[in-house]
Amino acid sequence: MSKTIQTIAIGFVVAAGATVSASAETWDMPMAYPATNFQSETGAKFAECVTLGTGGVLEIQTHANGSLYSGAEIKRAIQTGQVNIGERLLSGNQNENALFGFDSIPFLATSFADSEKLWEAAKGPLSELLESQNLHLLYSVPWPSQGLYFNREVNSLADVKGLKFRSYNTASARMAELAGMLPVQIEAAELSQAFATGVAEGMVSSGSTGYDSKVWESLSHYYAVDAWLPRNYVMVNKDAWNGLDSATQGILNGCASLAEYAGDWRSIQYNEFTVGELAKNGMTTGPASPELAAELAKIGETMTAEWLETAGDEGKKIVEAFKASK
Ligand code: PCA
């Protein structure tokens, strides 16, 4: 951390001098999740840090809850320069490249500690892939471990045959298919309505998104199966990044390091709070039955094999480096 703080301190001093001549610029930063969610709060603090650090030369304004672009639109909007910066759940783009789904391989990294190790293994290749797509990676924060939500008690997959299952990436949709459910892609911003109207009857997600969407109004059961910890990523358009002077880049990097560090902690704390809130609001919460857990483990094996096949040598290297670091 001391190096980060040093970077920021140097940046502050240099940028304070720069304010005299540089003209102020505002970057809009679309985000897909509600303003009160820990990912959005981390982004808002990051934006404040940059605005403060550059003395207002570069002001970042966040737009939460898909209000500027929906989650599905954000990556393209940054790539094409419609906005210079934004946040996206990258596994939502796994259809472009399997590597984007490294964080959603079932039962590979199921704790915060393992998620960090997997991230260390994947960061290099993922950054390179993003650079090749005109994107510069700033920071990434994991969602808490993913559990299963349903509008009924579920003891085995026979209980969810044909159930409409909300998906948010390739893995969540594939899990639904293999479990005999019907995947329906729905943005988090639309979730409460989707459950209230019966468009969806279950999902895989964290306690935090269940809490944000008050799912207890429509759903009754939450099973903590620890499927995976998907990540959000804050990315900058590469041309916009290259157009910044090195002092400003230093401030963004420093603020990004702080955001990643603080975001990890927020994720842990928000998880404990939100899973507790599900129960307080009347949901039945707990582990999956042994039968359900065994069925899910089998699905996990199939999905892991499928991912390794599609992701090729690069994917294998990430998984091997992760396993070696454990
Ligand atoms: N919440 C996000 C992604 C993973 C999570 O915990 C969502 O459900 O859209």
Side-chain angles (χ1 to χ4, degrees):
M1 282 301 287
S2 62
K3 199 165 160 231
T4 300
I5 290 164
Q6 203 181 6
T7 312
I8 293 183
I10 293 166
F12 268 70
V13 175
V14 179
T19 52
V20 182
S21 53
S23 58
E25 199 181 337
T26 302
W27 284 8
D28 288 310
M29 176 168 162
M31 306 185 81
Y33 294 92
T36 51
N37 179 273
F38 72 94
Q39 298 276 13
S40 309
E41 282 182 349
T42 303
K45 289 287 174 209
F46 162 79
E48 263 176 55
C49 175
V50 172
T51 305
L52 192 71
T54 61
V57 171
L58 177 57
E59 184 185 349
I60 297 189
Q61 259 173 28
T62 53
H63 301 267
N65 212 27
S67 57
L68 192 59
Y69 289 96
S70 72
E73 296 166 332
I74 290 174
K75 179 167 178 279
R76 181 135 297 276
I78 314 168
Q79 268 178 288
T80 56
Q82 294 169 68
V83 289
N84 287 333
I85 190 167
E87 183 194 58
R88 168 70 169 143
L89 176 89
L90 262 192
S91 56
N93 295 84
Q94 193 183 328
N95 52 346
E96 282 175 27
N97 189 309
L99 276 197
F100 288 139
F102 81 90
D103 59 16
S104 305
I105 301 171
F107 311 117
L108 177 65
T110 58
S111 65
F112 282 107
D114 277 0
S115 163
E116 287 312 308
K117 287 183 184 143
L118 182 57
W119 177 223
E120 283 307 316
K123 202 185 268 182
L126 200 85
S127 302
E128 271 173 38
L129 170 60
L130 290 172
E131 293 282 334
S132 77
Q133 296 191 333
N134 203 36
L135 290 165
H136 177 76
L137 175 71
L138 275 183
Y139 71 85
S140 168
V141 172
W143 289 92
S145 199
Q146 305 289 287
L148 289 172
Y149 291 82
F150 294 111
N151 64 353
R152 64 194 69 167
E153 182 181 339
V154 175
N155 292 308
S156 77
L157 292 180
D159 297 333
V160 292
K161 212 169 170 16
L163 181 137
K164 287 172 261 169
F165 191 78
R166 177 261 176 165
S167 68
Y168 58 74
N169 67 4
T170 307
S172 50
R174 184 70 180 133
M175 176 183 253
E177 276 171 8
L178 290 169
M181 301 186 280
L182 304 170
V184 218
Q185 179 101 20
I186 298 165
E187 292 280 342
E190 320 293 335
L191 264 184
S192 305
Q193 211 194 343
F195 288 130
T197 55
V199 169
E201 304 164 296
M203 67 172 173
V204 58
S205 193
S206 57
S208 66
T209 292
Y211 169 79
D212 291 345
S213 313
K214 293 194 173 68
V215 292
W216 50 82
E217 290 174 357
S218 310
L219 305 181
S220 54
H221 287 72
Y222 172 76
Y223 298 99
V225 299
D226 292 339
W228 58 77
L229 285 79
R231 306 180 76 95
N232 275 10
Y233 299 77
V234 170
M235 301 165 280
V236 179
N237 174 283
K238 199 158 106 180
D239 302 324
W241 176 255
N242 290 337
L244 297 174
D245 59 38
S246 61
T248 310
Q249 286 183 349
I251 294 199
L252 264 83
N253 284 335
C255 293
S257 300
L258 284 176
E260 189 161 293
Y261 186 81
D264 285 349
W265 282 107
R266 281 202 176 93
S267 189
I268 293 167
Q269 283 161 2
Y270 201 60
N271 184 44
E272 282 171 15
F273 164 71
T274 54
V275 172
E277 286 296 306
L278 299 178
K280 270 194 204 155
N281 283 284
M283 292 188 76
T284 304
T285 64
S289 70
E291 190 180 352
L292 179 60
E295 288 174 313
L296 292 172
K298 201 139 187 280
I299 289 178
E301 278 168 28
T302 306
M303 287 173 62
T304 304
E306 287 175 353
W307 187 84
L308 285 169
E309 169 94 37
T310 345
D313 284 347
E314 234 174 344
K316 274 190 203 93
K317 264 192 224 153
I318 293 175
V319 172
E320 276 162 19
F322 163 68
K323 286 189 172 159
S325 73
K326 278 184 51 131

